[in-house]
Amino acid sequence: MIDSLRKIAPEVEESALRDDRPLRDEIDLDSMDWLNFIIGLHERLQVDIPEADYRQLVSLNAVLDYLAARMHDGPPSAPPPDSEP
């Protein structure tokens, strides 16, 4: 996740990030940077993040928790193939 942030804000110091503070404010991301960050997470982790969920991704902890839950659930299972001949 930090790699995705660094692509947008190369000056990000991981050790300086507080996991409970608003991430966008902490590293001064505008709305386009934030969208690029979300897209980067999606591409890197193959996790769908619907636009309706963006408001949940406030802090570093919130992003990590959200991603952990989405990655744990995995993609929806495909229905079993028909067993009829």
Side-chain angles (χ1 to χ4, degrees):
M1 183 176 80
I2 298 300
D3 291 339
S4 294
L5 276 175
R6 283 198 180 119
K7 286 182 180 179
I8 297 158
E11 71 282 357
V12 169
E13 293 289 332
E14 184 175 359
S15 61
L17 292 176
R18 298 234 351 239
D19 52 5
D20 60 339
R21 297 187 70 195
L23 189 56
R24 285 183 66 178
D25 295 339
E26 195 169 7
I27 55 178
D28 196 28
L29 296 177
D30 63 23
S31 56
M32 196 58 166
D33 288 338
W34 185 248
L35 181 59
N36 286 329
F37 171 62
I38 300 296
I39 290 169
L41 290 176
H42 165 74
E43 290 173 350
R44 184 178 183 104
L45 302 173
Q46 299 300 301
V47 172
D48 286 327
I49 305 171
E51 188 175 346
D53 291 352
Y54 290 3
R55 70 184 124 202
Q56 296 176 39
L57 309 175
V58 177
S59 66
L60 189 58
N61 273 348
V63 173
L64 292 172
D65 291 345
Y66 180 89
L67 292 173
R70 299 291 287 206
M71 292 172 72
H72 177 69
D73 292 343
S77 326
D82 258 349
S83 56
E84 295 180 30

